[in-house]
Amino acid sequence: MKPIKTALAAMLMAACYVQIAQADPAAPWADLRDPHLDVIPRTAEERDRIATVTTPKPDFSAPWPFEENPGGAQTVRARATADAFSQPAGNLSFQQELDFKVGNGMFRRIWVSPPASTIASDGLGPLYNARSCQRCHLKDGRGHPPEGPEDNAVSMFLRVSIPMADADRDRIRNYIEGTHPTAPEPTYGLQLQDFSLPGHAAEYRLDISYEEFQVPLSGQEVATLRRPTYRAADLGYGPLHPDAMLSPRVAPQMIGMGLLEAIPAQDILSWADPDDADGDGISGNPQIVWSQVHDQPMLGRFGHKAGNPTVLEQSASAFSGDIGISNPLHPAGSGECTAAQADCLAALDGGDPEQDGFEIDQAALDLVTFYSRNLAVPARRDLDDPQVLRGKQVFYETGCTACHRPSFVTNRLQGENPASFQLIWPYTDLLLHDMGPDLADNRPEGRADGREWRTAPLWGIGLTQTVSGHSYFLHDGRARSLLEAVLWHGGEAQAARDAVVEMPPEDRAALIRYLESL
């Protein structure tokens, strides 16, 4: 995309932005419902106001209205400490803040092996990746790959599956059109656990090796990237299936999840263009998954491939797969153990009648979900800095907003839901995009093929070093800086990536400075 030279050109860009965002009632999945049952339909006046406030402005010389508060009324002051992502949303009531704090306690709880004197904390494993939610999402930030032989992979693991046999495809319950059918790996299930209770073998050890290579940039600059190779080493239960597909996953940051859940499904679907009908090289494919909670297909929003439709379902699957904790949505006391792991299946679990037979009951799961929904997004920093403003213009002109959609207005919800009717700036369309062969994991998940990933939200990304103590990005943490993350983009983002390589160094530096302000 050529730089915008005039206000007229900028206004044309904004007009195109609005046109793309118009919903097509005839589009596939146009009747998908939202996660919340209490949505109040928008009036015509509200729709007009929303279109106005979410349309990019032609002037990049000063901050735009409301940009400073990316989480709307939920935004809090940006803290220069590791607690920057751990604050309650700014608009919680007194009672809601109490629920948030109790949920935080559950999120931080260290689970122990059964039986234990505290029935509310036993049930760990027998196979697991971490002993608490906080161990993966340390300080509610993003995880990282192991840093050297002395570091473990507690905030990273490998997903695994095999292609589904043709004879089994017709027997899939709740099959969704466009899904790539896969099956759990027969011995190891759907993810590999690298920790275990005494008497049980861990499933594997994550082994990563890197090959560095250089990328020439304009202005005689050079960036060094590292290409990872992953191996499931020291397998505890025999070899993997010969068709096993592995995918590395780093724990993502937690902020703003309730706001993402409250975005109207139709606003997300209006940007989908799976067949690239407009010929701009950007498709955007909605992930559609079956909701256990609502017993119907819903838009996937959470996870690196948007495999879960709600925060509750994301939380429940993490309790089961990551910690081995049974819950109303995943009732197996043995967690993810398979039929090939007989001792694991036979082990004592922590289910208790006082918790309806689960290791975490619905009430406690709801509290963790409330906490996860209401982690505040920190306010933007340095909005009026000239370099940040220039970087913002570069971000828009380079085409980054084709996937990293800047703003939405959440659903108007009944009651006192703190996510209701907020103007937010997450910089994601929550759709799946082909990111090219270099980022491909070659493992389908739902309607995502082996090259597609959900657009990651960018809010808070500039505080990663402050919160997590590192600057590793992308689904597997291979990028050691924001620039490296940009340079790994391919597929639908190839043109934007190449523009970053070729632009003047001062514009590239301004772009990174803008991202750091988010």
mmCIF file of all heavy atoms in Angstrom, residues 99 119 245 257 386 466 475 498:
data_model
loop_
_atom_site.group_PDB
_atom_site.id
_atom_site.type_symbol
_atom_site.label_atom_id
_atom_site.label_comp_id
_atom_site.label_asym_id
_atom_site.label_seq_id
_atom_site.Cartn_x
_atom_site.Cartn_y
_atom_site.Cartn_z
ATOM 1 N N ASP A 99 -15.806 -10.868 44.217
ATOM 2 C CA ASP A 99 -15.805 -12.093 43.412
ATOM 3 C C ASP A 99 -14.513 -12.220 42.618
ATOM 4 O O ASP A 99 -13.958 -13.319 42.472
ATOM 5 C CB ASP A 99 -17.003 -12.105 42.457
ATOM 6 C CG ASP A 99 -18.332 -12.278 43.178
ATOM 7 O OD1 ASP A 99 -18.326 -12.743 44.336
ATOM 8 O OD2 ASP A 99 -19.380 -11.943 42.580
ATOM 9 N N ILE A 119 -9.850 -30.912 50.829
ATOM 10 C CA ILE A 119 -10.500 -31.490 49.657
ATOM 11 C C ILE A 119 -10.676 -30.472 48.540
ATOM 12 O O ILE A 119 -10.854 -30.842 47.380
ATOM 13 C CB ILE A 119 -11.864 -32.091 50.025
ATOM 14 C CG1 ILE A 119 -12.814 -30.991 50.550
ATOM 15 C CG2 ILE A 119 -11.722 -33.208 51.044
ATOM 16 C CD1 ILE A 119 -14.234 -31.467 50.731
ATOM 17 N N MET A 245 0.478 -35.290 14.698
ATOM 18 C CA MET A 245 0.733 -33.898 14.336
ATOM 19 C C MET A 245 0.933 -33.106 15.622
ATOM 20 O O MET A 245 0.056 -33.096 16.494
ATOM 21 C CB MET A 245 -0.439 -33.328 13.541
ATOM 22 C CG MET A 245 -0.742 -34.090 12.256
ATOM 23 S SD MET A 245 -2.254 -33.498 11.413
ATOM 24 C CE MET A 245 -3.529 -34.128 12.525
ATOM 25 N N MET A 257 -10.371 -10.502 28.324
ATOM 26 C CA MET A 257 -11.071 -11.642 27.744
ATOM 27 C C MET A 257 -12.591 -11.475 27.774
ATOM 28 O O MET A 257 -13.290 -11.871 26.842
ATOM 29 C CB MET A 257 -10.646 -12.927 28.458
ATOM 30 C CG MET A 257 -9.201 -13.309 28.196
ATOM 31 S SD MET A 257 -8.677 -14.792 29.088
ATOM 32 C CE MET A 257 -9.653 -16.054 28.290
ATOM 33 N N PRO A 386 5.416 12.174 19.098
ATOM 34 C CA PRO A 386 5.467 12.276 17.635
ATOM 35 C C PRO A 386 5.864 10.964 16.954
ATOM 36 O O PRO A 386 5.326 10.623 15.885
ATOM 37 C CB PRO A 386 6.503 13.373 17.395
ATOM 38 C CG PRO A 386 6.467 14.220 18.633
ATOM 39 C CD PRO A 386 6.204 13.246 19.751
ATOM 40 N N THR A 466 7.615 -5.782 30.970
ATOM 41 C CA THR A 466 7.332 -5.352 32.339
ATOM 42 C C THR A 466 6.647 -6.448 33.139
ATOM 43 O O THR A 466 6.985 -6.713 34.298
ATOM 44 C CB THR A 466 6.444 -4.094 32.322
ATOM 45 O OG1 THR A 466 7.136 -3.044 31.637
ATOM 46 C CG2 THR A 466 6.094 -3.644 33.726
ATOM 47 N N HIS A 475 2.801 -17.665 18.650
ATOM 48 C CA HIS A 475 2.173 -18.793 19.343
ATOM 49 C C HIS A 475 3.171 -19.686 20.054
ATOM 50 O O HIS A 475 2.813 -20.405 20.990
ATOM 51 C CB HIS A 475 1.366 -19.622 18.345
ATOM 52 C CG HIS A 475 2.225 -20.321 17.330
ATOM 53 N ND1 HIS A 475 2.728 -19.678 16.217
ATOM 54 C CD2 HIS A 475 2.690 -21.597 17.266
ATOM 55 C CE1 HIS A 475 3.449 -20.534 15.513
ATOM 56 N NE2 HIS A 475 3.446 -21.694 16.124
ATOM 57 N N ASP A 498 6.504 -7.445 3.916
ATOM 58 C CA ASP A 498 7.502 -6.965 2.965
ATOM 59 C C ASP A 498 7.599 -5.445 2.981
ATOM 60 O O ASP A 498 8.694 -4.879 2.807
ATOM 61 C CB ASP A 498 7.156 -7.451 1.554
ATOM 62 C CG ASP A 498 7.322 -8.955 1.398
ATOM 63 O OD1 ASP A 498 7.939 -9.594 2.285
ATOM 64 O OD2 ASP A 498 6.827 -9.505 0.387
#
